[in-house]
């Protein structure tokens, strides 16, 4: 007969799994930085180039959101990459919102309207060429590292990572609100 785990043991198990995940992600990131250095790229720059290669031009705001960084950081990174000729930035205007003339101030009625302006980033020809050279090399290194896992294990790991990112709000709230036994004495 197996005994049930205590709350403290469950916490230790969860924290151990978290540390293993973070340590492994850091290790893989370090392994992948070397090949990028040869091309003068940081991991974030490579990820942006690969995203633009895969998804096409996008607003700086959308790129920052997808990469999980601030718009200001994205502008700094894009400015550096623009200097190398890898990306292009262009200011574009959205179409103005449909609005009745009667809703506009009298002074603006009948005048041409412009929608909000947005900065759009896209790959330059040199960036496309660079991604074409770097991506296959990075993919080869990733594949080599991932060979430690069988195909089924790789799919399971991907599924588990997606599940972690999606989370389970009900379980999260339940656990956060749960009072651990070792906390009660404090």
């Amino acid at each position: 007969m197996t005994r049930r785990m205590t709350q403290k043991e469950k916490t230790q198990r969860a924290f151990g799994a978290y540390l293993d995940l973070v340590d492994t992600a850091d290790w893989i990131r370090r392994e992948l930085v070397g090949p990028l250095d040869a091309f003068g790229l940081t991991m974030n720059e490579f990820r942006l180039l690969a995203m633009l290669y895969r998804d096409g031009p996008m607003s700086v705001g959308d790129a920052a959101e997808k990469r999980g960084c601030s718009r200001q950081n994205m502008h700094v990174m894009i400015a550096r990459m623009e200097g190398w000729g890898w990306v292009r930035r262009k200011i574009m205007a959205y179409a103005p919102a449909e609005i009745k003339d009667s809703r506009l101030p009298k002074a603006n009625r009948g005048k041409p309207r412009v929608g909000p302006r947005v900065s759009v980033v896209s790959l330059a020809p040199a960036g496309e060429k660079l991604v074409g050279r770097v991506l296959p090399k990075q993919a080869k290194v990733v594949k080599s590292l991932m060979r430690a896992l069988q195909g089924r294990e790789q799919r399971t790991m991907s599924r588990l990572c997606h599940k972690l990112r999606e989370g389970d709000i009900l379980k999260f709230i339940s656990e956060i609100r749960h009072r651990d036994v070792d906390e009660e004495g404090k």
Side-chain angles (χ1 to χ4, degrees), residues 32-42 45-46 49 80 84 86 129-138:
L32 293 173
V33 165
L36 293 177
D37 280 343
F39 292 97
L41 281 170
T42 67
E45 290 168 344
F46 170 71
L49 288 173
R80 180 181 183 277
W84 288 101
W86 297 336
K129 187 176 177 181
L130 179 68
V131 171
R133 288 187 7 241
V134 176
L135 195 56
K137 291 180 182 351
Q138 280 296 94

Side-chain angles (χ1 to χ4, degrees), residues 85-98:
W86 297 336
V87 296
R88 291 184 183 144
R89 203 175 354 190
K90 195 164 148 185
I91 304 296
M92 302 185 72
Y94 285 118
E98 293 293 324

Side-chain angles (χ1 to χ4, degrees), residues 24-25 30 58 87 89 95-96 103 105 126 128 155 160 179:
T24 302
R30 283 191 307 270
M58 64 182 65
V87 296
R89 203 175 354 190
R103 303 295 256 156
E128 285 186 39
R155 286 188 294 277
L160 291 172
R179 186 164 200 152

Side-chain angles (χ1 to χ4, degrees), residues 48-137:
L48 176 62
L49 288 173
M51 186 173 65
L52 292 172
Y53 185 76
R54 182 185 63 239
D55 300 337
M58 64 182 65
S59 73
V60 172
D62 288 346
E65 186 177 318
K66 284 185 177 187
R67 289 294 312 125
C69 69
S70 70
R71 233 186 285 198
Q72 291 82 1
N73 286 348
M74 185 59 67
H75 277 291
V76 169
M77 186 175 20
I78 289 169
R80 180 181 183 277
M81 295 170 73
E82 252 182 329
W84 288 101
W86 297 336
V87 296
R88 291 184 183 144
R89 203 175 354 190
K90 195 164 148 185
I91 304 296
M92 302 185 72
Y94 285 118
E98 293 293 324
I99 208 168
K100 291 182 181 179
D101 273 354
S102 61
R103 303 295 256 156
L104 293 172
K106 288 183 180 179
N108 292 346
R109 292 180 188 170
K111 292 183 179 177
R113 295 179 45 242
V114 179
R117 294 167 23 125
V118 65
S119 182
V120 174
V121 64
S122 62
L123 279 179
E128 285 186 39
K129 187 176 177 181
L130 179 68
V131 171
R133 288 187 7 241
V134 176
L135 195 56
K137 291 180 182 351

